[in-house]
Amino acid sequence: MSSDQRPERPLRVLFVSSTTNGGSGRSQRELAASLVARGWEAEFLVDDEADAVVARRILEELTDATVRFRERAVGRVVDDVRARLGRRARRTVDDGLVHHVTVAPENAASELLDRFRPALVVASSISRVTWRSIRAECRRRRVPTVLYLREATAIGHLTAGLTADLLVANSHTLVADAARHGLRAELVPSVIHVEPLPVPPTGDVALLVNPVATHGIDIVEALATARPDIPLVLQESWPLDPAQQAEVDRLVARHAGVTFRAYEPDATRIFRDARLLLVPHRIDNRPRTVLEAQVNGIPVVASD
């Protein structure tokens, strides 16, 4: 089917993911919106990584117990209790797309697969536990699956034998990584819709998006010490865990020129005062923030 053709009958695709945040979450929604514009029907089953703090902690403990006691009778009891958490997903709408949100997407998958009856399930940025379970549910129903590799950590699904009917990746590096495991992944770059901001960015802020170890937060100390005259903003993209937040808080406390900003979905707000985008990543990727900055005339300083 060519890009301008619509299916004779609406095809339904279910996107499953362990996040709705950051570039991955946005690119997933933009891909779905592109399909909807071509006559598809698309919905999401996701963990938005927000709220449900108590349920999330219980889920983690039960998951750990299930692994430790797998060979014992108590393991089956723990697994049964774990499978009851998050079965009822709450329905939300994000960027005009229906999302079914739960702390445990794998536990809500069975009911949604039976009700929505997708022709295809696309998994990306998904945890190992969630993907293993949903993959099994799809196989039982003979629903084709696509595993969309977006991050280097996703290769772990392949080493665990959790492949799909179709493997795609958003970079040549991930295609090569899959090949090293004897698997063929088709290159499908992330869908990224970028437009100039309604108001050109003004200011002198150096912006670093997603202040975590893999994204080069270790250079902030040296930068802030060498150039205290340049304001440096650390912009949250994914929810920070307690250790990551503590590191950010220490940097902010030690350097008057360093500011932390909580998650902001509006790119207008993120880039409003940026003079420079810092992308000192320690992993092999190309985040969408690079294109978003460049389309607005903001230079990017990045690692190779």
Side-chain angles (χ1 to χ4, degrees):
M1 185 175 67
S2 65
S3 61
D4 60 348
Q5 287 180 317
R6 292 174 177 267
E8 293 181 2
R9 291 184 298 174
L11 295 175
R12 291 180 173 177
V13 56
L14 179 66
F15 290 85
V16 295
S17 179
S18 296
T19 186
T20 60
N21 298 306
S24 174
R26 187 177 300 175
S27 291
Q28 289 177 60
R29 292 190 294 276
E30 290 175 353
L31 171 58
S34 297
L35 292 174
V36 170
R38 288 166 171 79
W40 292 57
E41 293 181 6
E43 293 190 3
F44 284 77
L45 175 60
V46 298
D47 176 4
D48 65 358
E49 304 173 283
D51 303 324
V53 176
V54 174
R56 195 174 302 281
R57 183 58 186 269
I58 293 173
L59 189 70
E60 291 174 354
E61 295 293 336
L62 290 174
T63 300
D64 180 63
T66 298
V67 173
R68 287 189 288 114
F69 301 115
R70 179 173 295 163
E71 303 302 324
R72 306 179 193 176
V74 68
R76 292 190 292 273
V77 175
V78 172
D79 192 43
D80 182 65
V81 174
R82 185 199 180 282
R84 297 175 186 275
L85 284 176
R87 279 187 178 178
R88 288 187 175 274
R90 73 178 190 277
R91 187 180 185 277
T92 65
V93 177
D94 194 349
D95 288 339
L97 296 160
V98 173
H99 284 59
H100 305 274
V101 182
T102 167
V103 68
E106 62 274 20
N107 292 346
S110 179
E111 188 272 338
L112 183 57
L113 286 169
D114 289 340
R115 178 164 51 82
F116 185 56
R117 302 183 71 83
L120 183 69
V121 169
V122 179
S124 62
S125 299
I126 192 168
S127 75
R128 191 76 45 78
V129 171
T130 298
W131 172 228
R132 177 180 284 110
S133 178
I134 290 179
R135 174 178 176 266
E137 291 288 347
C138 289
R139 289 197 165 187
R140 277 194 286 272
R141 291 166 174 77
R142 297 185 179 180
V143 176
T145 56
V146 177
L147 180 59
Y148 198 157
L149 306 175
R150 294 182 180 273
E151 310 88 5
T153 54
I155 295 299
H157 295 314
L158 308 186
T159 60
L162 300 176
T163 57
D165 295 298
L166 176 64
L167 197 62
V168 298
N170 70 349
S171 72
H172 290 285
T173 299
L174 291 174
V175 169
D177 287 342
R180 280 192 283 273
H181 289 87
L183 297 169
R184 177 179 176 179
E186 301 293 338
L187 178 65
V188 180
S190 295
V191 173
I192 300 177
H193 297 161
V194 290
E195 296 181 358
L197 302 178
V199 178
T202 59
D204 295 300
V205 165
L207 177 67
L208 190 152
V209 177
N210 206 3
V212 297
T214 55
H215 288 50
I217 191 176
D218 58 292
I219 76 160
V220 172
E221 185 82 54
L223 286 175
T225 300
R227 293 300 302 268
D229 57 313
I230 299 178
L232 179 58
V233 169
L234 306 179
Q235 173 67 58
E236 182 181 39
S237 178
W238 304 334
L240 301 178
D241 65 32
Q244 292 167 340
Q245 187 66 62
E247 174 62 16
V248 168
D249 292 343
R250 283 193 292 269
L251 287 168
V252 171
R254 284 197 295 260
H255 301 280
V258 178
T259 303
F260 171 71
R261 292 178 182 168
Y263 172 70
E264 172 59 66
D266 184 358
T268 303
R269 297 285 299 166
I270 292 175
F271 291 103
R272 65 187 183 276
D273 54 2
R275 180 73 175 272
L276 178 75
L277 179 68
L278 297 173
V279 190
H281 287 193
R282 306 307 192 195
I283 54 177
D284 190 1
N285 71 339
R286 197 288 316 278
R288 62 180 291 140
T289 50
V290 169
L291 292 180
E292 291 171 338
Q294 290 175 335
V295 79
N296 286 287
I298 301 171
V300 178
V301 176
S303 52
D304 183 358

